[in-house]
Amino acid sequence: MTSAPEKTSLDAVGADVLRVAREQVLERGEGLAEAQLLEVLRLGDEHLTDLLALAHDVRMRWCGPEVEVEGIISLKTGGCPEDCHFCSQSGRFPTPVRSAWLDIPGLVKAARQTAETGATEFCIVAAVRGPDKRLLTQVREGVKAIRADGNDIQIACSLGMLTQEQVDDLVDMGVHRYNHNLETARSHFPNVVTTHTWEERWETLRMIREAGMEVCCGGIIGMGETVEQRAEFAAQLAELNPDECTMNFLIPQPGTPYEHYEIVEGKDALRTVAAFRLAMPRPLIRFSGGRELTFGDLGTKQGMLGGINAIIVGNYLTNLGRSADQDLEMLKDLKMPVKALSDSL
């Protein structure tokens, strides 16, 4: 049991952590370093409200009030040769997901429905190590068909690891943003994936950046990483300086090595959201998979007021999400304007 003097001392330490963060991140726009992020992640629950308020202030100052809304669609589902231990689309695990391809009319319809929600971003995803010729042809035809449908929504892709030639092809297609998650801290990655390396993912991100596409990169919280590795991961993402960071929370998938992992506790998840914002004052930080399970409705609102400024609406790749109407109503209640397509082009 903590004594009164000890509690007073801990309160003072926590207040000092927040004071330094306010001066460094809010006032100067400089993200916290790894050691500072660890201090944030170790703050007691009594500091959580103030931490979330600071992260929200940072978001408002350096990003503004708008929220970017995105829909995603799986062009090629399941049958992936990689062994990412969290993923139900890996062909190495006995999961219920089976390999399937979406046709071009289905892709056009999904893009149209996404645009009708008010979203400005449509991401085409494939469960692959990297795209082969067939997949890239399908993406090219899909992008053309979406444009022929009169849809001006911005198109992003997430197709695994790329070669330079493939990067150039995507630029030529008009893909403006590419998602490729580092997934977790470099030190923890070998525990999560063994069929490729963290460095291979980093190399794809480097080529994307140099080609002029926007970089979308984040990962999944709750895969057995330590609090120190969460701080490490946030600092590594900040070094990458992505245009967008996706924040996923583990959904234990049946048949995967992580099927019995526990859900991240809500307060720890909120602390992590705030820490990522204090590491990266300016990028989009997007609520992605697992937020419904980890937070519920109330916690999702808390996260939106704790540094988040982008969300995926509708369903995810192999999991159901909230309806777009529910999320748009939530943003309306929070008086958070949805970023307009005309402002993003």
Side-chain angles (χ1 to χ4, degrees), residues 102-120:
L102 181 68
D103 61 19
I104 297 300
L107 191 64
V108 172
K109 180 180 178 181
R112 188 187 309 132
Q113 291 172 337
T114 298
E116 288 170 353
T117 69
T120 58

Side-chain angles (χ1 to χ4, degrees), residues 81-96:
E82 304 306 286
D83 73 344
C84 305
H85 291 12
F86 55 85
C87 187
S88 62
Q89 299 197 65
S90 172
R92 295 170 179 259
F93 309 135
T95 73

Side-chain angles (χ1 to χ4, degrees), residues 56-191:
H56 180 66
D57 289 345
V58 168
R59 167 265 175 109
M60 293 295 288
R61 173 156 188 181
W62 296 105
C63 302
E66 291 186 324
V67 175
E68 187 185 272
V69 175
E70 178 182 53
I72 62 175
I73 191 70
S74 182
L75 181 59
K76 189 264 181 183
T77 303
C80 182
E82 304 306 286
D83 73 344
C84 305
H85 291 12
F86 55 85
C87 187
S88 62
Q89 299 197 65
S90 172
R92 295 170 179 259
F93 309 135
T95 73
V97 176
R98 294 294 174 262
S99 183
W101 284 77
L102 181 68
D103 61 19
I104 297 300
L107 191 64
V108 172
K109 180 180 178 181
R112 188 187 309 132
Q113 291 172 337
T114 298
E116 288 170 353
T117 69
T120 58
E121 193 83 13
F122 179 66
C123 188
I124 301 170
V125 184
V128 290
R129 176 184 174 89
D132 58 14
K133 185 175 181 180
R134 175 192 176 187
L135 178 57
L136 281 179
T137 298
Q138 191 93 340
V139 172
R140 182 179 290 277
E141 292 176 355
V143 172
K144 286 182 179 179
I146 290 168
R147 295 298 180 233
D149 191 49
N151 193 340
D152 291 329
I153 197 167
Q154 294 190 123
I155 295 175
C157 284
S158 181
L159 311 173
M161 292 174 287
L162 302 174
T163 65
Q164 185 62 59
E165 183 179 359
Q166 291 167 339
V167 170
D168 295 341
D169 282 348
L170 291 170
V171 171
D172 184 62
M173 293 176 204
V175 174
H176 92 110
R177 183 184 296 166
Y178 194 81
N179 165 259
H180 192 52
N181 290 336
L182 289 170
E183 303 300 6
T184 191
R186 186 175 186 174
S187 66
H188 188 52
F189 191 88
N191 299 317

Side-chain angles (χ1 to χ4, degrees), residues 14 16-43 51 54-55 58 230-239 271-282:
D16 190 57
V17 168
L18 291 174
R19 180 190 60 78
V20 171
R22 177 171 293 276
E23 178 182 324
Q24 180 176 330
V25 188
L26 180 62
E27 301 302 329
R28 303 203 305 267
E30 300 172 6
L32 297 184
E34 183 175 337
Q36 295 174 300
L37 292 166
L38 183 57
E39 291 178 331
V40 167
L41 289 167
R42 287 176 170 166
L43 286 173
L51 172 62
L54 173 58
V58 168
R230 288 181 188 174
E232 176 195 346
F233 185 35
Q236 288 164 345
L237 287 169
E239 180 185 350
R271 251 187 298 272
T272 305
V273 168
F276 273 54
R277 174 53 72 195
L278 297 181
M280 296 174 281
R282 293 173 177 82

